[in-house]
Amino acid sequence: MSRRPLVLALAFAMTPFVAQAEDLLQTYELARAGDPQFAAAESQRLVTKEGSVQARSRLLPQINGDASYSKTDSDSSGQQVFAGTPLGANDSSSDTTTRQYGLRLDQMVYDHSRITALRSANALSSASDFQLEAEGDSLITRTSAAYFNVLVQLENLAAAEASETALKKQFDFASKRLEVGLAPITDVHEARAQYDSARANTITARNQVEDAYQGLAEITGKPVANLKALPEDFQPQLPEHAGEDDWVKMAVDNNPALKAKEFQVKSAEEDVGTARSGHYPTLYLSGQYGNTRQDGSSDPDALLEPTTDFENRSDSRVLGLTLRVPIFSGGFVQSGVRQALATRDVRSEELEQQRRALERSTRNAYQTVVAGVSEVEARRLAVVSAKAAYDASQVGLEVGTRTVLDVLVNQRNLFQSQQLYALARYNFLQSVLNLEAAAGSLDIDDVQKINRLLTVDVSAASVESQGTQQQQ
């Protein structure tokens, strides 16, 4: 059986500016550079990393400086009186300028809350590394799924268009047999109904192809048209690793999303220590240096006494330890401890749930891969059988032993078998990547291995060739 060509006419109608990615690897490179979900994960990792830096900074010396400048002018006036007799005016004025600066150093000697906060932030920082790794694995599987979906939808469109063409011929054939009295009117109606249904299926298939291309462009950020597909002689093989239990053990030991959750639990445990530290004393070392300068002039009595200039300087140095012992906080600390314990329990249960789900998904992925090897072969044989049945019914129609309805049924079975065969082949490839992702071993090498299997060009040339064959 010759491979049905894939249709890409719709892809070239989508936009004149199309990224020329010819295979899965190049498409993944586009996705790596253009996927907003992965870019957001990278930025989120940087956000979390800064939390660790900030927590560490609270353990380091805190140095602050301050400076001030002020100028004061004052004037006063009055009358001196002795025994009810005015003695004279008592006026004065002063002009003072003050300059002051200082440095203060605070260093934590012991503060349990800041130590545990740093441990918690470091755990979250490690979790963010594994979360980004998990997003990288997700990017591979999302890109491959979108890429394979395009190929499957193109196969469906090719089958739909071929079905429409064949059913049109059957309808014309039934109409001609009716004209010469060799077929009943019911055959014509049945052929017409099947032909109209095929036309509707073709329209639906075109829309699905367009949506599949849009789904791929959503990840890559650019339209992609030139793809590579599997050859007709593709033979699926099981991964080189051991059995199902070994895959599950690999997943539990290496899955990055599970590792991220483990570090989140560790962070929550450190947060419990931070909450309990509200009962612990703290000890801080502090040092301070200050310099003050005042200068100005004073005129006690503008008439009797001369103006006096003055200048004052002072330096101060302070070094000390501050011990703070919490005694009563109104129940705030106890409440914080209970809250932290509950949060830790939530994270622990989430970890257990994720571990169980991972084990289940890994076993399912392994079983899907194993079953996929047999399914691809079974689907291939189903296509061969459906093709033989269709050819036989076509011959039977010509010699009068089969009806048009028999041919239509066998033709529909043939196209459905071809569609399911294409779906099984690409589902197998996707299942292999899903299994590697679950086990935490998915990387660019796996993409390259799959990419080397895709050797059939899906290009404008195949579209033109198909159009020529259909016209003939």
Side-chain angles (χ1 to χ4, degrees):
M1 180 189 68
S2 61
R3 178 179 175 81
R4 293 176 291 113
L6 301 178
V7 180
L8 269 182
L10 179 61
F12 291 96
M14 289 173 56
T15 175
F17 304 101
V18 179
Q20 300 301 314
E22 297 182 353
D23 55 32
L24 177 61
L25 182 60
Q26 291 176 334
T27 303
Y28 167 71
E29 290 172 350
L30 287 175
R32 181 89 180 184
D35 179 51
Q37 181 174 327
F38 183 74
E42 290 181 314
S43 298
Q44 183 59 50
R45 174 177 174 269
L46 296 177
V47 171
T48 307
K49 289 287 185 183
E50 292 303 321
S52 180
V53 175
Q54 294 168 12
R56 184 182 299 108
S57 69
R58 300 184 66 195
L59 274 66
L60 301 178
Q62 311 292 310
I63 302 175
N64 298 289
D66 62 84
S68 64
Y69 174 86
S70 63
K71 188 175 181 62
T72 304
D73 294 325
S74 64
D75 294 296
S76 63
S77 61
Q79 180 73 36
Q80 294 184 357
V81 179
F82 181 75
T85 302
L87 298 180
N90 185 14
D91 298 332
S92 64
S93 64
S94 65
D95 181 4
T96 305
T97 300
T98 303
R99 299 176 179 86
Q100 185 176 20
Y101 67 88
L103 289 175
R104 180 180 178 86
L105 179 144
D106 292 287
Q107 172 60 56
M108 181 205 76
V109 178
Y110 177 77
D111 189 333
H112 192 73
S113 66
R114 296 193 176 187
I115 297 174
T116 54
L118 175 60
R119 293 172 182 170
S120 175
N122 287 339
L124 290 179
S125 178
S126 298
S128 69
D129 292 334
F130 286 106
Q131 286 173 328
L132 181 62
E133 183 180 345
E135 283 295 337
D137 293 347
S138 175
L139 177 63
I140 293 177
T141 56
R142 288 187 294 112
T143 303
S144 62
Y147 187 95
F148 296 149
N149 185 44
V150 173
L151 296 177
V152 169
Q153 296 305 327
L154 288 172
E155 291 273 7
N156 292 341
L157 178 58
E161 291 186 339
S163 177
E164 180 182 350
T165 301
L167 290 172
K168 178 63 168 60
K169 292 181 180 179
Q170 294 298 335
F171 171 65
D172 294 339
F173 181 73
S175 298
K176 291 179 181 179
R177 287 172 60 87
L178 176 64
E179 292 176 359
V180 297
L182 297 178
I185 189 64
T186 54
D187 283 356
V188 177
H189 291 326
E190 182 64 30
R192 181 55 187 264
Q194 294 289 341
Y195 171 57
D196 291 339
S197 178
R199 291 175 60 192
N201 291 337
T202 300
I203 295 173
T204 301
R206 287 197 182 100
N207 290 336
Q208 291 174 341
V209 168
E210 181 177 2
D211 182 68
Y213 272 110
Q214 292 296 334
L216 186 57
E218 180 182 358
I219 299 175
T220 61
K222 298 179 181 179
V224 178
N226 296 337
L227 308 179
K228 284 185 177 291
L230 286 171
E232 184 63 28
D233 59 354
F234 167 68
Q235 295 292 332
Q237 296 180 352
L238 289 176
E240 298 177 356
H241 297 290
E244 179 178 328
D245 292 336
D246 296 317
W247 278 100
V248 172
K249 186 178 185 306
M250 288 175 57
V252 173
D253 293 340
N254 302 316
N255 183 268
L258 186 64
K259 288 292 184 182
K261 183 61 69 174
E262 290 175 352
F263 276 101
Q264 290 173 357
V265 172
K266 183 178 180 180
S267 173
E269 291 174 347
E270 296 295 343
D271 289 339
V272 173
T274 302
R276 285 175 174 162
S277 65
H279 294 297
Y280 304 156
T282 61
L283 182 63
Y284 281 82
L285 171 68
S286 61
Q288 186 172 359
Y289 170 77
N291 178 277
T292 303
R293 176 182 175 182
Q294 286 186 329
D295 57 70
S297 61
S298 174
D299 187 0
D301 190 327
L303 297 178
L304 301 178
E305 299 183 18
T307 300
T308 303
D309 295 329
F310 63 88
E311 180 176 356
N312 299 322
R313 294 176 180 269
S314 65
D315 292 311
S316 62
R317 297 170 181 84
V318 179
L319 182 64
L321 288 172
T322 301
L323 176 66
R324 178 176 287 109
V325 180
I327 297 176
F328 180 68
S329 61
F332 177 83
V333 176
Q334 292 88 336
S335 175
V337 172
R338 292 193 298 269
Q339 184 182 48
L341 287 171
T343 301
R344 182 201 61 186
D345 293 341
V346 170
R347 297 291 177 263
S348 298
E349 295 301 329
E350 289 175 347
L351 173 62
E352 179 60 24
Q353 189 276 332
Q354 187 164 333
R355 181 183 289 110
R356 295 180 185 181
L358 175 63
E359 180 177 350
R360 175 189 176 187
S361 62
T362 304
R363 293 187 184 279
N364 179 68
Y366 178 80
Q367 293 166 2
T368 302
V369 170
V370 173
V373 175
S374 302
E375 182 186 5
V376 170
E377 178 61 18
R379 295 296 183 187
R380 185 187 68 81
L381 295 177
V383 172
V384 174
S385 300
K387 181 66 166 59
Y390 171 70
D391 292 340
S393 63
Q394 187 71 32
V395 174
L397 177 64
E398 295 176 356
V399 299
T401 59
R402 293 294 184 94
T403 65
V404 171
L405 180 59
D406 294 329
V407 176
L408 296 176
V409 171
N410 288 323
Q411 189 177 66
R412 183 170 61 250
N413 292 336
L414 171 61
F415 291 131
Q416 288 178 348
S417 298
Q418 291 172 331
Q419 292 172 340
L420 293 175
Y421 177 47
L423 182 61
R425 283 148 44 103
Y426 292 112
N427 279 349
F428 172 79
L429 297 182
Q430 185 64 35
S431 297
V432 171
L433 294 176
N434 290 341
L435 179 60
E436 295 283 357
S441 58
L442 183 62
D443 55 24
I444 191 64
D445 292 337
D446 297 296
V447 179
Q448 293 173 341
K449 290 178 183 178
I450 298 295
N451 191 62
R452 285 193 288 268
L453 300 174
L454 306 173
T455 58
V456 177
D457 289 327
V458 183
S459 61
S462 66
V463 177
E464 295 173 358
S465 173
Q466 181 187 24
T468 301
Q469 292 175 2
Q470 290 182 350
Q471 290 176 359
Q472 292 175 350

